[in-house]
Amino acid sequence: MKMIVGLGNIGKEYDKTRHNIGFMTVDALADKYQAMFKQDGQRHAFVADVRINNEKVLLVKPTTYMNDSGDAVRPLVDYYKLDLADLLVVQDDMDMDLGRLRLRQKGSAGGHNGIKSIASQLGTQKFNRLKFGIGHPAHVHQAVVDYVLGHFGKDEQPDLLAGLDKAVEIFEGFADGEEMPMLMNRFN
């Protein structure tokens, strides 16, 4: 079994914002496989499961808000007795161009509070991540918070959709048992 966790914030005001790109990526995979999310209140998440080449894949959207994502991820990892090699967390990254993707097997949170929370709850920084570039504010004076909580513009749609399509390819390779170093060579 594999688990793909998309990071984001719940609530209509955050729907389809840059900070919620993690939710958008798991939604794209769920849409492709016609999976429905159900609330798992005990483990603070919306969860859907899909089968990709006979591998069960849990798609997870924490309901804890970004800064407490570990409060959802840790209980799910424990409940499903998941090896951390079978976990992939999707986060937004402002330091990369929109739609650019980068896989990592470990590393610091780099200021990302959702990743900090997960690392703290898991007791390690060694877990798979997919960083999804959301770009950086065009104007130096534009507040970063306003930017990450803002919506994608029409001119950004082609890069956004290309990134989502590529993320789905990565998820399918991950679910199919492709090792992370091979996925990294193929997609980074």
Side-chain angles (χ1 to χ4, degrees), residues 33-159:
Y33 288 88
Q34 299 175 339
M36 300 294 294
F37 284 91
K38 295 180 182 148
Q39 188 161 12
D40 182 337
Q42 242 183 335
R43 282 165 280 283
H44 312 290
F46 287 105
V47 180
D49 63 77
V50 298
R51 293 250 174 222
I52 300 175
N53 295 330
N54 294 319
E55 179 74 32
K56 182 176 181 173
V57 180
L58 298 175
L59 306 178
V60 176
K61 298 191 292 187
T63 59
T64 55
Y65 290 98
M66 182 72 76
N67 294 353
D68 295 319
S69 297
D71 293 344
V73 173
R74 177 63 191 254
L76 285 162
V77 166
D78 290 349
Y79 180 77
Y80 289 103
K81 297 173 180 56
L82 200 70
D83 187 302
L84 290 186
D86 295 324
L87 170 67
L88 178 60
V89 177
V90 187
Q91 68 178 93
D92 60 298
D93 191 313
M94 252 187 1
D95 294 326
M96 296 185 339
D97 292 338
L98 176 61
R100 181 149 186 239
L101 304 177
R102 183 177 298 138
L103 286 159
R104 291 282 181 259
Q105 289 183 284
K106 62 181 178 179
S108 71
H112 194 287
N113 290 329
I115 297 297
K116 280 182 194 172
S117 174
I118 293 169
S120 174
Q121 288 290 330
L122 295 178
T124 184
Q125 293 183 356
K126 293 181 180 179
F127 57 92
N128 301 317
R129 299 147 208 210
L130 175 60
K131 295 181 173 194
F132 195 116
I134 60 169
H136 204 275
H139 304 294
V140 179
H141 299 294
Q142 183 179 1
V144 169
V145 172
D146 289 343
Y147 181 77
V148 297
L149 295 180
H151 291 87
F152 294 100
K154 284 188 181 199
D155 60 322
E156 296 175 300
Q157 293 302 309
D159 291 333

